[in-house]
Structures are given as structure tokens and as C-alpha cells.
Amino acid sequence: MRILKGGIVAPDGFYASGVHCGLKKKKLDLALIYSEVKCNASAMFTKNIVKGNPIIVCKEALIDGKAQAIIINSGNANTCTGEDGLIKAHYMTELVAKAMELDKVDVLVASTGVIGVPLDVSLIEDSIETLKEGLSRTGNINAREAIMTTDLIHKEVAVSINIFGKEVKIGAMAKGSGMIEPNMATMLAFITTDINIENSLLNSALNIAVNKSFNLISVDGDSSTNDSVFIMANGLAKNEIIDSENDYYFEFVDALTYVCVELSKLIASDGEGATKLIECRVLGCKNELEGINIAKAVIKSSLVKTAIFGSDANWGRILCAMGYSGIEFIENKVKLAFESSRGYIEVFKEGIPIEFDETKAKEILKDDDISIIIDLNMGNEKAVAWGCDLSYEYIRINGDYRS
Amino acid sequence: MRILKGGIVAPDGFYASGVHCGLKKKKLDLALIYSEVKCNASAMFTKNIVKGNPIIVCKEALIDGKAQAIIINSGNANTCTGEDGLIKAHYMTELVAKAMELDKVDVLVASTGVIGVPLDVSLIEDSIETLKEGLSRTGNINAREAIMTTDLIHKEVAVSINIFGKEVKIGAMAKGSGMIEPNMATMLAFITTDINIENSLLNSALNIAVNKSFNLISVDGDSSTNDSVFIMANGLAKNEIIDSENDYYFEFVDALTYVCVELSKLIASDGEGATKLIECRVLGCKNELEGINIAKAVIKSSLVKTAIFGSDANWGRILCAMGYSGIEFIENKVKLAFESSRGYIEVFKEGIPIEFDETKAKEILKDDDISIIIDLNMGNEKAVAWGCDLSYEYIRINGDYRS
């Protein structure tokens, strides 16, 4: 697997653009992804009962498993906006269909931003021609900006692999920084690939990758109304079609998982107010699911998050979070350690605190990429989840922005 | 029902004291509650798998359903301290048993404070005589201070009711401000009463009251290792014994529930860094449990909590939290409103945002006692839960205290 530049336009035949239409004051707020041929397409959406109108539109449009373009706006989630909002989400796909001469059902739509404010769709209508004209093989640069809300960094990844002797590329971009929670987040992710693959296998590959990545991150425990992960495969790599779960399928799954994990870590480390990425690795589990539940409880704990913010090796809070995760374990078998690029330190073993060098622990925890390592000593499985610390800045962004 | 002063010593025959033994730098850190006769006693403990050593000791001591004294220290939770910690928890009860000439199994013990630090039990041993000498009918004043950790206010309640023509009193004190979560919290609550009641009924009354109070509050979603609610009933009111679920039993349950709800609201409003008490009332539920789950999801949402901190009527975050609560409801039937002593305002109805006066909403939300009112319009049941906002101060207390 090779790492590429170019994000969503790295794969052959994909074009993107991003413009400012006026939903935000100054920043880019409208993006388009377009494939020169029709794609096999799949998506996964939020499990929140309250769903954004764009999701309702996309679910219908994806019944045939095909798509050729995605329009995305930031600055307004078009959620809890009633029948009017649904009509406008449909209208966004119609605008693109007309401009690009596509069938309406081959256009997908995603929105992110404030909930409950009527969408001024005329701003999008007025910008659709500029958006179309901007489509290019370097359009990832504007598109990745246009989908951002409180994100501080843009998030994109691209890789290539060899499938049946052909170079197959996968590109992706994502946004997301608050309302981030396992089972996705106010997180939008868009994945493009030129692989030639059957639709059902594209769908199962996406499922596997999402469960090993986006579903393992948490910023603040709030699972959003608009979370969506899209994938479009246009087949232009011209590899022999993947129509069974052969070795190449699993190679594709691995590469797709890599792409999704990298985006997930970017999202977690860019969590609202985050100063540190926290990885929780659980070793020695009886099974992976139990490990995931423990890891999620730890990265979601406000007390663990604030301790890491303060570079404080307060391992009691980790044990406490493990204890309410709902998973059985034996306290006297547990080992706890912290690790970063600055070193490794064990703090608890076999039911007893280890006397450790607090200065060294603090130094390790001052890094901006912290691993919490839990060994349950109960089996041979392992699991991981990612989150971020909880800082003053999270409060300012979410509680103080109007005052 | 009459409101009384005196907290845990309001009921006849109870004495309390509180001293400084040295587990904390300056503040009182050791308390004793004592009844002049042996009591029927019951308790409920944390569901966290990791349990403080005092809880292990109390579970054994309560097998006979009797107790006469409780010793409580703050400044050290005596949790995750291994076999040594368990021996010390037992030793604390032995110290009281010896000083007060009681059986060891009639002494209960509770600890709160930092996890994983060996308890210096010699400090407690050295203070046990002073603690005993301090016992008095006004000792609630020192005892309520000695159990505090990051609490900013002491928390006590006392009431009296009439049972079979006799005045029966209930007194209580609690501590708790961080690690507060439904299914209790780093919360300790001590309830005394002079009612004459059978042990099994005392136990069931406590269960009902706790489920309607302490199990409905959340500060930060972290359910602690040491949560405990104790009740001791010494019978000195000399009422005819309550030995069946008669009208007087339910009158006692109501009064006990009142006491627990008042303590719960004091705990939520004194949540670490809290500037506001948040009450979430859910109306029109199909059943109470569904309403409780929705109310808990709302009061636990970091985004709702920060919005309330910022006096921002961001109802989209409430709908979002309802949507991931796991409870089915119909968005188009939901009504949302905010209420405080400064007024009432509806913001969402039948799937559509209501255009409301943002200045008025902000004014209402500037109060320090906020109600979020959700009407599901799906049935006739209702539910409530309490929490607090999330402020800069929470981060300072939990993340920045050592730097």
C-alpha cells in the first residue's frame, strides 16, 4: 500500500470543487464531488432517531446502489426543519442533476452545521454554476475546506494498492469535531475509489471499515443527527471485477480500513477544544467486543479526559470507568500503563498501585498523542478506541460562543 | 410533613461528630454517626465492578440487618488499594467498636476521596477518642463538613411525619459533586430515622426512594467506586411497628423519597463547576422508564450542558440527545420548552421550530435553576432527572488542579 496525495480526487475519474455560497459568513461552505462515470455507491448513516433531511433523501437515492455526484453544504444541518427542509434537500440534488445532466437519483446530498434553522437554498441555487465550473482534479483542496464546521484542520487521506495487477486508488475526506461519538458523529466522510467491485461487496467492505474506525471514536458522547459515510466506486482502475471475498477483496478492505482509521484519528485529535489524541488499547480480552466496550468507556469518561488534559496519571479514574463499562473483569489481574513518544510507564498491576515516578509520568503525558494501555490478562483478544481530552476550549466553543 | 433542622441528628437518639484527623490538610475529614440503641439498617451500593474496600466491609456487616454507628473519612477513598486497604477498612470499624463498646459488625464504614493511595489509618486511630468525645445532638454541623470533598455546600435535610399518632423523624446528610451519575455517584448519603419499622420494609422503602432520587441525577457520567446510601432506623419514635405495606408505610416512603430528592438536587446543583441546576421533565410518555431514559440522555449531554452554561436555547442539541437515547418517539409530535423562575418559552412543536424571542429565552436561561420540558405526546406517564451545566470550572477542578 502506498500513501498518495490528492484526497478524494486521487482515484481516476473523480473531480471536486468548493465555493463560498453564503451559508457561512466568509469561509467556503459548498462542495461537490463528481465522477465522470456512474459509480457503485453505498453509505452508512447515524443511528440517531432524529435524522437530518439529507439522510432521508440519500436513503431513497441509494436504493439502486448507484451515484455519480455528492453535494455537501456546511453552515446548516437542514435537520429538525420539517417538510420544508425535506423539500430543500431534494431540491439540492435536483440542482446538481440539472447542472451536470444527471438523473436526480444519482446525486447524493449531505449537510452539516446548526440544527433547526431553515436552510436558505437560494444561496445554493445561486452558486451551483460556479460550483460546477470549479470541478477539477485538484478540487480536493477547496472541497475539504468547504465541508468544515468547527474543524481546525482539514482531513483527507489517499492510498493505492495493487489489485489483479492494476493500481487501485482510494481517496477520502471527512469533517467532524464536536458531537463525536461511537456509532459515528457529526461527522461526514466521503470516500472515492476507482476499484471495480460488485455493489454488495463494496457495501460489506464499508461496513467492516466503519466498525473498525468511525464507530470507535468519541469526542463528547453526543451522537449526531447527520452522520454519514459515503463511498463511490467508479471502476476506472479497470481491474478484473471483485465479485467474491477473495484475497484482493480483503486487501481492499484493509486499505479502506486504513483510510477510515486515519480519518478517525484526525477527527478525534481535532475534537472541539482537544489538545491531545487519546488512544485506549485493551489487551488480554476474552473477545474484541468486550475490549471495545471497555476502551469506549475509558475514552468517554470526562474524568479521564480532564486528567489527560492536565497531564495527570490519575489511573484510578481509568479503573473506575472500566468498572462501569458493564464488562466483567478481575481487578487483581489488571495492568495499567501510559505511553507516548516520550516514554512508557506502568502504574497499576495485579490489584495494587505501583509506586511510579510522577515527574516521568507527567512528562510522558505532556505529549499530544497519548496511549492508555489496559491489560485484562483474561484472554488473547485486543481492541482499541480513540478520543481526545476535555479542555476549557470545549466549553468556550459550545457554551460561550454567543456571550 | 414538616421540615426540621438538625440533619442526621434530628431523629431521637442519634448523635454525630466531625474532626480533623489529617487525611486532608486543614479541613474536617473524619465523621461519626451513632445511635444510642441498635438500629435496623440497610444500604445500597455502587454498581461499579471496582468497589471501594469500605463497601466490601459494609456488605458483610449488614448481613444481619443491624448497625449502631457509621465512621466516615474524606480525603482518601481506600479503593484500588489491595488487601492492605481491606484490612484498614476493617480496622476502622474495630476502632469504633472498641471506643463505643459495640460489636464490630454493628459498625459501618465509608470513605471518599482519591483512589489508589494507601490509607494512613494511624491518623484515624489517633483521632478516634476525640471523635467519640465530640458526639453530640448538634454534631451534624461538624459531621456534614467532614464528609465533603470538592463539595462547595454542605447537604442535609430533615423532616417529620405522623405515624400511628407518633412524631417520626427522618434526617440525612450527603456528599457528592464529581463522578456523579445515575446509579449513584461518588456520593455518600447517610439517613437516620427514629421510626419503628421491620427490616425488610426499611430496605424496600430505601430502594424506592433511591430509584426516584439518587439514581436520577448525573453530573459527569462517571459512576463511582464508592457510592453508598445508608439508612439506620432506631425505633425510638416508639410508633406501633410498621410490619406491612400499610398507609403509614407509604407515608414513610414518601417522606424518605422527599429527603432523597432534596439531597439529590443539592448534589446536582453543587456538581463540580456547576453554575446551574438542570431539571429535565418528560411528559406524555408511554411509560415512566422510557421517560427516565430520555431525561437522563438530555441531562448527560455535554452539548446540552454547555448550551445551558451559555444560556443558549439550543434546542437542537436536546432533540439530538433524545434521538440517541435509544427510546422510540415521533419527532413530529414532540414539544420542547424551557422554564425558570424568570419565565416559560416554547421553542419546538410538531416537528417544526417555533420562532421565539431569543432575548426572552436568554433571560429565562440566565437563571440558576432551569427546567427543560419535553412533551412526547405519546401517553400519560411522566419522568424527571436532574443534572447541571458544564463549565470552565469543571475542567479546572478535574484537569488543572496540579498544574
Side-chain angles (χ1 to χ4, degrees):
Chain A
M1 192 176 72
R2 284 195 310 131
I3 309 298
L4 306 177
K5 292 187 187 293
I8 45 163
V9 296
D12 288 353
F14 282 97
Y15 299 78
S17 71
V19 300
H20 173 254
C21 76
L23 290 166
K24 291 195 213 159
K25 276 183 194 156
K26 284 186 184 170
K27 293 180 178 170
L28 303 188
D29 53 13
L30 190 63
L32 184 62
I33 306 171
Y34 171 73
S35 166
E36 60 189 40
V37 297
K38 200 182 280 195
C39 305
N40 282 339
S42 178
M44 290 177 71
F45 300 108
T46 182
K47 290 174 183 158
N48 198 308
I49 286 179
V50 179
K51 286 179 175 46
N53 288 306
I55 290 179
I56 301 168
V57 172
C58 288
K59 284 190 166 181
E60 274 180 43
L62 281 168
I63 290 170
D64 68 353
K66 303 285 177 187
Q68 197 165 348
I70 310 179
I71 181 168
I72 310 121
N73 74 274
S74 57
N76 190 315
N78 193 12
T79 300
C80 304
T81 46
E83 186 64 22
D84 173 67
L86 187 59
I87 291 167
K88 286 170 176 171
H90 275 293
Y91 189 58
M92 285 174 71
T93 64
E94 285 158 20
L95 288 171
V96 174
K98 197 174 160 199
M100 305 303 300
E101 296 178 10
L102 302 173
D103 276 348
K104 178 185 167 310
V105 293
D106 291 329
V107 183
L108 304 174
V109 55
S111 300
T112 178
V114 64
I115 296 175
V117 173
L119 177 68
D120 185 354
V121 81
S122 73
L123 297 171
I124 295 169
E125 186 166 13
D126 293 346
S127 296
I128 207 81
E129 276 304 313
T130 329
L131 190 67
K132 176 188 169 183
E133 284 159 18
L135 283 171
S136 81
R137 293 281 296 152
T138 54
N140 62 306
I141 293 167
N142 283 340
R144 73 193 183 189
E145 293 285 330
I147 62 171
M148 285 163 65
T149 55
T150 50
D151 305 62
L152 297 178
I153 55 166
H154 60 74
K155 301 169 184 75
E156 68 175 15
V157 188
V159 300
S160 78
I161 50 173
N162 188 297
I163 301 279
F164 290 118
K166 302 282 186 185
E167 185 185 23
V168 161
K169 302 183 201 96
I170 306 173
M173 67 177 185
K175 68 77 51 178
S177 98
M179 267 199 190
I180 300 289
E181 159 67 6
N183 297 320
M184 309 218 276
T186 295
M187 188 206 77
L188 299 177
F190 306 92
I191 307 163
T192 55
T193 175
D194 45 23
I195 197 169
N196 187 18
I197 188 170
E198 270 200 356
N199 224 329
S200 62
L201 291 168
L202 181 69
N203 190 47
S204 64
L206 183 66
N207 255 278
I208 295 170
V210 166
N211 283 326
K212 288 183 182 265
S213 57
F214 300 119
N215 283 351
L216 297 179
I217 56 175
S218 176
V219 166
D220 55 12
D222 279 82
S223 174
S224 142
T225 54
N226 286 48
D227 305 334
S228 311
V229 177
F230 298 92
I231 189 165
M232 296 203 291
N234 66 12
L236 292 182
K238 299 194 187 304
N239 59 286
E240 190 180 312
I241 190 163
I242 296 184
D243 55 5
S244 70
E245 292 189 357
N246 57 26
D247 288 353
Y248 285 120
Y249 167 76
F250 287 109
E251 198 159 329
F252 175 66
V253 168
D254 284 349
L256 188 60
T257 302
Y258 172 84
V259 164
C260 292
V261 166
E262 289 304 299
L263 287 181
S264 297
K265 287 162 80 171
L266 285 170
I267 288 169
S269 64
D270 193 29
E272 285 176 341
T275 72
K276 302 176 188 192
L277 173 67
I278 306 175
E279 177 179 81
C280 182
R281 295 207 299 271
V282 183
L283 313 174
C285 322
K286 281 188 289 186
N287 60 64
E288 188 186 9
L289 187 62
E290 292 194 355
I292 288 172
N293 283 326
I294 286 180
K296 280 184 178 179
V298 170
I299 55 155
K300 287 171 71 172
S301 158
S302 293
L303 289 168
V304 171
K305 289 155 71 81
T306 47
I308 299 293
F309 171 63
S311 303
D312 177 12
N314 193 325
W315 53 265
R317 296 180 179 179
I318 296 170
L319 261 178
C320 176
M322 293 168 63
Y324 63 70
S325 67
I327 304 302
E328 294 287 332
F329 62 89
I330 299 157
E331 190 185 328
N332 288 347
K333 287 191 171 188
V334 172
K335 188 169 82 179
L336 296 181
F338 294 101
E339 189 176 34
S340 77
S341 65
R342 302 176 187 212
Y344 171 89
I345 195 162
E346 290 184 2
V347 292
F348 184 82
K349 199 173 176 178
E350 295 170 2
I352 304 168
I354 296 170
E355 283 201 25
F356 61 89
D357 180 346
E358 293 224 11
T359 314
K360 183 183 167 196
K362 189 136 201 137
E363 181 60 26
I364 290 169
L365 292 176
K366 274 186 178 161
D367 202 73
D368 60 6
D369 192 344
I370 306 293
S371 291
I372 296 169
I373 304 162
I374 299 167
D375 192 341
L376 299 178
N377 279 307
M378 291 178 74
N380 296 312
E381 297 301 315
K382 59 185 180 174
V384 65
W386 297 277
C388 61
D389 58 343
L390 175 60
S391 77
Y392 296 110
E393 187 64 8
Y394 181 85
I395 312 292
R396 194 194 62 74
I397 293 170
N398 289 300
D400 225 11
Y401 57 101
R402 291 191 187 183
S403 48
Chain B
M1 193 176 70
R2 284 195 312 131
I3 309 297
L4 306 177
K5 293 188 188 293
I8 45 163
V9 297
D12 286 354
F14 283 98
Y15 299 79
S17 71
V19 301
H20 173 254
C21 76
L23 289 167
K24 291 195 214 160
K25 277 183 194 156
K26 285 185 184 172
K27 293 180 179 171
L28 303 188
D29 52 14
L30 190 63
L32 184 63
I33 306 171
Y34 170 74
S35 166
E36 62 189 39
V37 297
K38 200 182 279 195
C39 305
N40 282 338
S42 178
M44 290 176 71
F45 299 108
T46 183
K47 291 176 183 157
N48 198 310
I49 287 178
V50 179
K51 287 181 174 45
N53 288 307
I55 290 179
I56 300 168
V57 172
C58 288
K59 284 191 166 180
E60 274 180 42
L62 281 167
I63 289 171
D64 67 353
K66 302 286 177 186
Q68 196 164 349
I70 311 179
I71 181 168
I72 311 122
N73 74 275
S74 57
N76 190 316
N78 194 11
T79 299
C80 305
T81 46
E83 186 64 22
D84 172 68
L86 186 59
I87 291 168
K88 286 170 176 172
H90 275 294
Y91 190 58
M92 285 173 70
T93 64
E94 285 159 20
L95 287 171
V96 174
K98 196 174 160 197
M100 305 303 299
E101 297 177 12
L102 302 174
D103 277 348
K104 178 185 168 309
V105 293
D106 291 330
V107 183
L108 304 175
V109 56
S111 299
T112 178
V114 65
I115 296 176
V117 173
L119 176 68
D120 185 355
V121 79
S122 73
L123 297 171
I124 295 170
E125 186 165 12
D126 293 347
S127 296
I128 206 80
E129 275 304 313
T130 330
L131 191 68
K132 175 188 170 184
E133 283 160 18
L135 283 172
S136 82
R137 293 280 297 150
T138 55
N140 62 305
I141 292 167
N142 284 341
R144 73 193 184 191
E145 294 284 330
I147 62 171
M148 287 164 63
T149 54
T150 50
D151 305 62
L152 297 178
I153 54 166
H154 61 75
K155 303 169 181 75
E156 68 174 15
V157 188
V159 301
S160 78
I161 51 174
N162 189 297
I163 301 279
F164 291 119
K166 301 283 184 183
E167 185 186 24
V168 161
K169 301 184 202 97
I170 306 173
M173 68 176 184
K175 65 78 51 179
S177 96
M179 268 198 190
I180 300 289
E181 159 67 7
N183 298 321
M184 309 217 277
T186 294
M187 189 205 77
L188 300 177
F190 306 91
I191 307 164
T192 55
T193 174
D194 47 22
I195 197 170
N196 187 16
I197 188 170
E198 271 200 355
N199 224 330
S200 62
L201 291 168
L202 181 68
N203 190 47
S204 64
L206 182 66
N207 256 277
I208 295 169
V210 166
N211 283 326
K212 288 184 182 264
S213 58
F214 300 118
N215 283 351
L216 298 178
I217 56 175
S218 176
V219 166
D220 55 14
D222 280 83
S223 174
S224 144
T225 54
N226 286 48
D227 305 334
S228 310
V229 178
F230 298 90
I231 189 165
M232 296 201 292
N234 67 10
L236 291 182
K238 300 194 187 303
N239 57 287
E240 189 180 314
I241 191 163
I242 296 185
D243 55 6
S244 71
E245 292 189 357
N246 57 26
D247 288 353
Y248 286 120
Y249 167 76
F250 287 108
E251 199 160 326
F252 174 66
V253 167
D254 284 350
L256 188 60
T257 302
Y258 171 85
V259 164
C260 293
V261 166
E262 288 305 298
L263 287 181
S264 297
K265 288 162 79 170
L266 285 170
I267 288 169
S269 65
D270 193 28
E272 284 176 342
T275 71
K276 302 176 188 193
L277 174 67
I278 306 175
E279 176 179 82
C280 182
R281 295 206 298 271
V282 183
L283 313 174
C285 321
K286 281 187 289 187
N287 60 65
E288 189 186 9
L289 187 61
E290 293 195 354
I292 287 173
N293 282 326
I294 286 180
K296 280 184 177 179
V298 170
I299 55 154
K300 286 173 71 172
S301 158
S302 292
L303 288 167
V304 171
K305 288 155 72 80
T306 47
I308 299 293
F309 171 62
S311 302
D312 177 13
N314 193 325
W315 54 265
R317 297 180 178 179
I318 296 170
L319 261 178
C320 176
M322 294 167 62
Y324 64 70
S325 67
I327 303 302
E328 293 288 331
F329 62 89
I330 299 157
E331 189 184 330
N332 288 346
K333 287 190 171 187
V334 171
K335 189 168 82 177
L336 297 181
F338 294 101
E339 190 175 36
S340 77
S341 65
R342 302 176 187 211
Y344 171 89
I345 195 162
E346 290 184 3
V347 292
F348 184 83
K349 199 173 176 178
E350 295 170 2
I352 303 169
I354 296 170
E355 283 200 26
F356 61 89
D357 179 344
E358 293 223 11
T359 314
K360 184 182 166 196
K362 188 136 200 137
E363 181 60 24
I364 289 169
L365 293 176
K366 275 186 178 161
D367 202 72
D368 60 7
D369 192 345
I370 306 293
S371 291
I372 296 169
I373 304 162
I374 299 167
D375 192 341
L376 299 178
N377 279 305
M378 292 178 74
N380 296 312
E381 297 302 315
K382 60 185 180 175
V384 66
W386 297 277
C388 62
D389 59 344
L390 175 60
S391 77
Y392 296 110
E393 186 64 8
Y394 181 84
I395 312 291
R396 194 194 62 73
I397 294 169
N398 288 299
D400 226 10
Y401 57 101
R402 289 193 189 182
S403 46

